[in-house]
Amino acid sequence: MKHVPVLLTETLKYLNVSRFRERDGVFVDATFGGGGHSMAILDQTGQGLRLIAIDRDRAASQRAISLSQRYGERFTLLQGNFADLSQLLDEVQVKGIDALLLDLGLSSYQLSNAPRGFSFQLDGPLDMRMDQGQESSAADIIRTGTVDQLRDIFRRFGEEPYAGSIARAIVAARSQKTITTTRELADLILSLTPPAKSHRRLHTATRVFQALRIAVNEELQALVAVLEAGLSCLNQGGRLVVISYHSLEDRIVKRMFRQWSASCSCPPDFPVCTCGKVPQVRRLTGKVVVPQVDEIERNPRSRSAKL
Ligand SMILES: C[S@@+](CC[C@H](N)C(=O)[O-])C[C@H]1O[C@@H](n2cnc3c(N)ncnc32)[C@H](O)[C@@H]1O
């Protein structure tokens, strides 16, 4: 299944792409995926714009071949975790960047590929690793996690109200038979809710799978790390654009933008400012930007996106 880039027009606008038709610059697309955003950036900028793309997924290199052929030295793909942004940029001798794009989550290639184990609607191994070279997978967490650990994962990363009963059911079920596939885990979760409440059953499975994926890939730690590194790599006037797909990511992004753009960090009851803090960034969007109705109709995957 082809991946359709989300909020493309809005992303190009906030990345200030048009400014680089004539001038040199370096952009980083730290979530290359299918390369939809990368390609649009390269198409709408001049020969002096270099794009460094990053993806944890080793399969991304296949999709990067056509971009290398088309854009030559303007385009470089690095395999790695965006949490290591500074080290990855050191590898290619890049000091400062003019824009950083993070389009978080999974691509349609990953979601629709049953052997990757991301979807509870497709039967595959319980894998969920974005980086296939990583050791620990979702099956390892399900096989070794204690009730407390599993409950904590489902609660913190899935905000799942039935986290405790699901964790207990998993530990009881695996004492009979090891849970190794997405179908086995999905069936177990679905069996805990009455069939009449089919809507709730699907939401529960979605939340548990999301929670496991976040835990396997340590996604929230990586997000905090790349935001911190990104701020220190950006040149004066540089742009940072983040597209998030669920409330946990969204909260982290909002909190960090709020901190960076604040002009004072004194306690609210201080009569005068003594901290001397100056804002590090200017927020360009008052409110988050969400897709228009026609984009959601064309690409339902975009419905939860927030830029
Ligand atoms: C939503 S897709 C990006 C789609 C892309 N913008 C496009 O238009 O084709 C997110 C991609 O980011 C990658 N990714 C997620 N977390 C990452 C991380 N910590 N480091 C590097 N890549 C990551 C995923 O493997 C996935 O390919």
Side-chain angles (χ1 to χ4, degrees), residues 198-216:
S198 61
H199 203 59
R200 195 179 95 193
R201 283 152 55 106
L202 289 183
H203 284 314
T204 304
T206 306
R207 285 192 293 258
V208 170
F209 271 64
Q210 171 190 296
L212 272 174
R213 191 198 92 200
I214 292 177
V216 169

Side-chain angles (χ1 to χ4, degrees), residues 3 31-37 55-56 80-82 103 105-106 110 130:
H3 183 92
T31 48
F32 176 74
H37 285 107
D55 206 295
R56 241 172 143 171
N81 187 339
F82 58 46
D103 176 20
L106 296 174
Q110 292 164 320
M130 284 190 194

Side-chain angles (χ1 to χ4, degrees), residues 293-305:
V293 178
D294 64 329
E295 175 168 4
I296 298 175
E297 274 166 12
R298 269 185 285 115
N299 180 16
R301 228 202 115 242
S302 68
R303 69 186 172 279
S304 50

